[in-house]
Amino acid sequence: MTTSGTTTDTKKTATARKRRSPDRSPRERRAQPPADDGDEGANEVRLVGRLTSVPVVVELPSGDALVSFRVSVPRSPGATKTVATTSQRVDSIPCSAWTASLRRRIAGWRPGDTVEVAGAVCCRFYQAGGATRSRVEVVASSARIIRRSPVA
C-alpha cells in the first residue's frame, strides 16, 4: 500500500511541477495572456452602403495624405429595437484610406455610389485648436464600387 501511495504522491508532485514554471510565481502566470486557443479577437469591418458625399483628400501637417469619406449603411432590424432613444434607420460611418492606390480609386467615387469597404476600426488622436481630439473611423484596406449612381 505504501508503494501505491508513494506512486500517487510522485504523480501529483510531477504534475504540479509541470504546471508551475520555475521562473514564474502563480500571480505572474495569471497575468500572462491566455494560451493560444484560436480565440485571439479580431478587428475586421465590412461595410456595404452608399457614399454620402464627395470624398475629400486631406493633407496632414506630417506630410501624409488621406482621403476621408462617409458610407451610409442601413441598421439591422434588431439594432433599431435595442436603441430606444432613436428611430434612426441608417448610420453614417466615417472612413479613411491612407494608401496611394486606394486614395486615387476612392477620389473618383460620386455621392450615391453603392460601395463596399473592408478594413479595421481605428481611433486616431490629433491636435486641433490647442486641444487633443480623437476620431473613430474605419481605415480601409480595400474598397470597390458595387454600383455607380446615375449622373446627376
Side-chain angles (χ1 to χ4, degrees):
M1 293 269 182
T2 324
T3 310
S4 65
T6 307
T7 307
T8 306
D9 291 342
T10 306
K11 286 181 182 177
K12 286 180 184 175
T13 306
T15 305
R17 273 191 224 126
K18 285 180 187 175
R19 273 192 244 133
R20 187 181 310 158
S21 169
D23 58 346
R24 288 190 195 156
S25 71
R27 179 173 283 153
E28 288 172 325
R29 278 197 323 270
R30 277 184 255 130
Q32 298 301 315
D36 184 17
D37 57 2
D39 195 17
E40 297 175 10
N43 184 355
E44 299 172 344
V45 175
R46 179 178 168 264
L47 302 173
V48 176
R50 296 194 186 283
L51 191 68
T52 62
S53 59
V54 176
V56 176
V57 177
V58 178
E59 191 79 29
L60 299 175
S62 65
D64 292 332
L66 65 99
V67 65
S68 181
F69 58 101
R70 285 185 167 272
V71 177
S72 177
V73 296
R75 282 194 176 170
S76 63
T80 53
K81 292 176 185 172
T82 58
V83 182
T85 59
T86 182
S87 61
Q88 188 174 336
R89 294 180 185 218
V90 296
D91 286 302
S92 179
I93 311 294
C95 302
S96 65
W98 293 74
T99 63
S101 60
L102 271 178
R103 287 194 319 259
R104 284 190 299 272
R105 186 177 316 140
I106 293 168
W109 291 358
R110 299 188 299 236
D113 287 349
T114 301
V115 298
E116 177 182 35
V117 177
V121 175
C122 293
C123 186
R124 202 164 37 100
F125 295 90
Y126 60 97
Q127 294 288 321
T132 301
R133 300 181 188 250
S134 65
R135 176 179 171 95
V136 176
E137 62 191 359
V138 172
V139 175
S141 56
S142 67
R144 69 184 181 101
I145 292 179
I146 294 176
R147 189 176 332 112
R148 275 286 197 189
S149 71
V151 179

